[in-house]
Amino acid sequence: MSTRPAAPTRAEFAAWRTATTRWSDDDVFGHMNNARYFDLMDVAVNVHMAEALGTDIRRLPVVGLVAEVSCRYFSEMGYPLDVELGLAVDRIGSSSIVYRIGMFQGAGPEADVARAEGRFVQVYVDNSAGRGAPRRSVPIPDDVRAAVTPLLRERPA
Amino acid sequence: MSTRPAAPTRAEFAAWRTATTRWSDDDVFGHMNNARYFDLMDVAVNVHMAEALGTDIRRLPVVGLVAEVSCRYFSEMGYPLDVELGLAVDRIGSSSIVYRIGMFQGAGPEADVARAEGRFVQVYVDNSAGRGAPRRSVPIPDDVRAAVTPLLRERPA
Amino acid sequence: MSTRPAAPTRAEFAAWRTATTRWSDDDVFGHMNNARYFDLMDVAVNVHMAEALGTDIRRLPVVGLVAEVSCRYFSEMGYPLDVELGLAVDRIGSSSIVYRIGMFQGAGPEADVARAEGRFVQVYVDNSAGRGAPRRSVPIPDDVRAAVTPLLRERPA
Amino acid sequence: MSTRPAAPTRAEFAAWRTATTRWSDDDVFGHMNNARYFDLMDVAVNVHMAEALGTDIRRLPVVGLVAEVSCRYFSEMGYPLDVELGLAVDRIGSSSIVYRIGMFQGAGPEADVARAEGRFVQVYVDNSAGRGAPRRSVPIPDDVRAAVTPLLRERPA
């Protein structure tokens, strides 16, 4: 684990969203359960897209499905403080988008350092055949591409 | 179901809290899953108590455990709008407190009518023996009683 | 709380289902969070119906939406033991069904006594207009009525 | 995404656990929400450890905290079928363990191919100071090391 990258800071993210926490987010260890971070990442990615497109993204004929996600946990967070979700885009492919989500909590000197960072890969697929049908990957729609391009941020070397 | 009480309005609640919603709150029917409402009620009750007492209520020797809860669903709500949680106290017993939680969402004419109303009964128990030990009910501590008394609201006849 | 009914026993339920528990079901108090019981109740009700009808109940033109739920907690349960879910029907109306769900855990002398009991009221509605559209209550379909009638159990006096 | 590794098969995993699914696992797209897979991975890792050690691992002075997790999604799964969780260990370090978890569902020809594969990195820390206190990484206890060594599986080249 010696080569583990450092926790990112706020400056590395481009769009922001605040999420409230819930009593049930914390597990028996008294901090947010590792799975709950992914519920929060969903919000950061999907709310940005919904607001940029001005529509209910769940009903579009082409939707972004999650192909791969990950999260690195740097320091604990949890209920009851709000979580600030920073969003950036690492890469835009022909049918996929790679997001990074920084999760921050609290005030004071450590508030600028992410408590966790997620990576979230969405692949765009044809959803027009409805629930349960096979979903073929398709090129990223132009309006989606326009919505994420302003979020592109290179990782500091 | 003909005697079902009407949905309450905002005027029937005494303290307020806003909760953000999550993509995963909505189930396959496209609205908030019935279990998620209880995650939100926890927040309304526990945050009020934590703020009134100015302490981490999870580590107190006497804690309020949930003895009974219920929720009536009047109209749909769900992701992505925030939920406004109204809190009131119905009854304060010797060792138990009965809360009502109104859940509101959206703007416009219907925003004054609760989309759901929960009832939440907490019994105070001795938690000093730690996790897993039997927990005996105890009188409500004075500071807890002082924190909930201002929230007492009679139901309109 | 002096008139609180006793915890039911296994004999009061008609159909059974086992659910596994998850690490994240337990909250900071080291037992199952009150909201998670409702996730389990959903399973008991919906799996019975799906198996009785032999179809994916989520895609039917008429679906059962949750109108009201409640749960009384008698003793703690939680991860890692399985939960046995007993299902019974209290009442079948023209468009609504009232279920009772007993939740049992563990072996030994106390295993016959429910750790919690839920009540679950579903109202049948027309879902044919799709997600987000208004949903009008409709008579319970005949096959649904046939699926729940064998579960009718009177509460012992 | 052209270099994406293929989905693993059952032969690549060493220990097995079955988890039931819940109605609320599925999101609006009608399949298991990406965050729920992590709730299932927790079960695979923690149940194996608890059974191998024969104790409640949550109360030990040294506990395994999650440092990093990821999941790759190959094909959909969800409610109501059970999920079979295959567990293997990739690497055992001085204070960390890297697990792989394969998630399988259904019968038939595709049942041998994982629908998702997770990676789960735990770091062992001193938990004796209790909830909220800083947690220092410590060497993996001998009994923990003995519990995971039989699960070591090399990835086929």
Side-chain angles (χ1 to χ4, degrees):
Chain A
M1 311 278 289
S2 56
T3 59
R4 201 182 188 210
T9 61
R10 287 175 186 259
E12 300 177 42
F13 298 94
W16 292 89
R17 185 88 190 169
T18 299
T20 57
T21 53
R22 302 175 182 179
W23 175 276
S24 57
D25 288 339
D26 283 10
D27 66 17
V28 71
F29 287 143
H31 58 201
M32 186 175 284
N33 178 264
N34 72 82
R36 296 289 86 70
Y37 290 70
F38 293 92
D39 291 293
L40 299 183
M41 283 190 239
D42 268 8
V43 172
V45 171
N46 288 319
V47 166
H48 174 79
M49 188 57 64
E51 292 185 349
L53 301 190
T55 185
D56 184 342
I57 59 175
R58 299 175 291 187
R59 305 187 195 186
L60 296 176
V62 168
V63 298
L65 293 189
V66 182
E68 184 176 337
V69 296
S70 62
C71 188
R72 292 178 301 134
Y73 306 93
F74 302 109
S75 61
E76 303 186 14
M77 64 178 198
Y79 174 87
L81 292 180
D82 290 350
V83 175
E84 287 167 76
L85 301 160
L87 184 64
V89 167
D90 243 22
R91 202 176 76 83
I92 306 177
S94 57
S95 63
S96 68
I97 302 171
V98 181
Y99 295 92
R100 286 185 297 114
I101 301 102
M103 287 167 269
F104 300 81
Q105 197 177 45
E110 302 105 18
D112 191 49
V113 180
R115 292 174 182 271
E117 184 182 41
R119 190 171 170 276
F120 194 94
V121 182
Q122 272 188 333
V123 173
Y124 275 78
V125 299
D126 183 348
N127 194 42
S128 59
R131 227 152 51 204
R135 288 160 171 143
R136 197 172 40 83
S137 73
V138 296
I140 299 173
D142 288 345
D143 54 354
V144 169
R145 187 175 294 271
V148 294
T149 300
L151 304 183
L152 271 168
R153 288 292 180 280
E154 278 201 31
R155 214 52 197 282
Chain B
M1 311 280 288
S2 57
T3 59
R4 200 181 188 210
T9 61
R10 287 176 185 258
E12 299 177 42
F13 298 93
W16 292 89
R17 185 89 190 168
T18 298
T20 57
T21 52
R22 302 175 182 177
W23 176 275
S24 57
D25 289 338
D26 282 11
D27 66 18
V28 70
F29 288 143
H31 58 202
M32 187 176 284
N33 177 265
N34 71 83
R36 295 289 87 69
Y37 290 71
F38 293 92
D39 290 294
L40 298 184
M41 284 190 236
D42 268 9
V43 171
V45 170
N46 289 319
V47 165
H48 175 79
M49 188 57 64
E51 291 184 349
L53 301 189
T55 185
D56 185 343
I57 58 175
R58 298 174 291 186
R59 305 186 195 187
L60 296 176
V62 169
V63 298
L65 292 190
V66 182
E68 185 176 337
V69 295
S70 63
C71 187
R72 292 179 300 133
Y73 306 93
F74 302 110
S75 61
E76 303 186 13
M77 65 179 196
Y79 173 87
L81 292 180
D82 291 349
V83 175
E84 286 168 75
L85 300 159
L87 184 65
V89 168
D90 243 22
R91 203 177 75 83
I92 307 176
S94 58
S95 63
S96 68
I97 303 171
V98 181
Y99 294 92
R100 286 186 296 113
I101 301 102
M103 287 166 269
F104 300 82
Q105 196 176 46
E110 302 107 17
D112 190 48
V113 180
R115 292 175 182 271
E117 185 183 39
R119 191 172 170 275
F120 194 94
V121 183
Q122 272 189 331
V123 173
Y124 275 78
V125 300
D126 183 348
N127 195 42
S128 58
R131 223 153 53 205
R135 289 160 170 142
R136 197 173 40 85
S137 75
V138 296
I140 299 173
D142 287 346
D143 55 353
V144 169
R145 187 176 294 272
V148 293
T149 300
L151 304 184
L152 271 169
R153 289 291 181 284
E154 279 200 31
R155 215 50 197 281
Chain C
M1 312 278 290
S2 57
T3 59
R4 200 181 189 210
T9 61
R10 286 176 186 258
E12 300 178 43
F13 299 93
W16 292 89
R17 185 90 191 168
T18 299
T20 57
T21 52
R22 302 174 182 179
W23 175 276
S24 58
D25 289 338
D26 283 11
D27 65 18
V28 71
F29 288 143
H31 57 202
M32 186 175 284
N33 178 265
N34 73 82
R36 295 293 78 72
Y37 291 70
F38 293 93
D39 290 293
L40 298 184
M41 284 190 238
D42 268 8
V43 172
V45 171
N46 289 319
V47 166
H48 174 80
M49 188 56 65
E51 291 185 349
L53 300 189
T55 186
D56 184 343
I57 57 175
R58 298 174 290 186
R59 305 185 196 187
L60 296 176
V62 169
V63 298
L65 293 189
V66 182
E68 184 175 338
V69 296
S70 62
C71 187
R72 293 177 300 135
Y73 306 93
F74 302 110
S75 61
E76 302 186 13
M77 64 180 196
Y79 174 88
L81 293 180
D82 290 349
V83 175
E84 287 168 75
L85 301 160
L87 184 65
V89 167
D90 244 21
R91 203 176 75 84
I92 307 176
S94 58
S95 64
S96 68
I97 303 171
V98 181
Y99 294 92
R100 286 185 296 114
I101 300 103
M103 287 166 269
F104 300 82
Q105 196 176 46
E110 303 106 17
D112 190 50
V113 180
R115 293 175 182 271
E117 185 183 40
R119 191 172 169 274
F120 194 93
V121 183
Q122 271 188 331
V123 173
Y124 276 77
V125 299
D126 183 348
N127 195 42
S128 58
R131 225 152 54 204
R135 289 159 170 142
R136 198 174 37 86
S137 73
V138 295
I140 299 174
D142 287 345
D143 54 355
V144 169
R145 187 175 295 271
V148 294
T149 301
L151 303 184
L152 270 169
R153 288 290 180 282
E154 277 201 31
R155 214 50 195 284
Chain D
M1 311 279 287
S2 55
T3 60
R4 202 183 188 207
T9 62
R10 287 176 185 258
E12 299 177 43
F13 299 92
W16 292 89
R17 185 90 190 167
T18 299
T20 56
T21 51
R22 302 175 182 179
W23 176 275
S24 57
D25 289 339
D26 283 10
D27 66 17
V28 71
F29 287 143
H31 58 200
M32 186 175 284
N33 178 264
N34 72 83
R36 295 293 77 72
Y37 291 70
F38 293 93
D39 291 292
L40 298 184
M41 283 190 237
D42 268 9
V43 171
V45 171
N46 289 318
V47 165
H48 174 80
M49 189 57 64
E51 292 185 348
L53 300 189
T55 185
D56 184 343
I57 58 175
R58 298 174 290 186
R59 305 185 196 187
L60 296 176
V62 168
V63 299
L65 294 189
V66 182
E68 184 175 337
V69 296
S70 63
C71 188
R72 293 178 300 134
Y73 306 93
F74 302 110
S75 61
E76 303 186 13
M77 64 179 197
Y79 174 87
L81 293 179
D82 291 349
V83 175
E84 286 168 77
L85 301 160
L87 184 65
V89 167
D90 243 21
R91 203 176 75 84
I92 307 176
S94 57
S95 63
S96 67
I97 302 171
V98 181
Y99 295 92
R100 286 185 296 114
I101 299 102
M103 288 167 270
F104 300 82
Q105 195 176 47
E110 302 106 16
D112 190 49
V113 180
R115 293 175 182 271
E117 185 182 40
R119 190 172 169 275
F120 194 93
V121 183
Q122 272 188 331
V123 174
Y124 276 78
V125 299
D126 182 349
N127 195 41
S128 59
R131 227 152 49 205
R135 289 160 171 142
R136 197 174 39 86
S137 74
V138 296
I140 300 173
D142 287 346
D143 55 354
V144 169
R145 187 176 294 272
V148 294
T149 301
L151 303 184
L152 270 168
R153 288 292 180 282
E154 278 201 32
R155 215 50 196 282

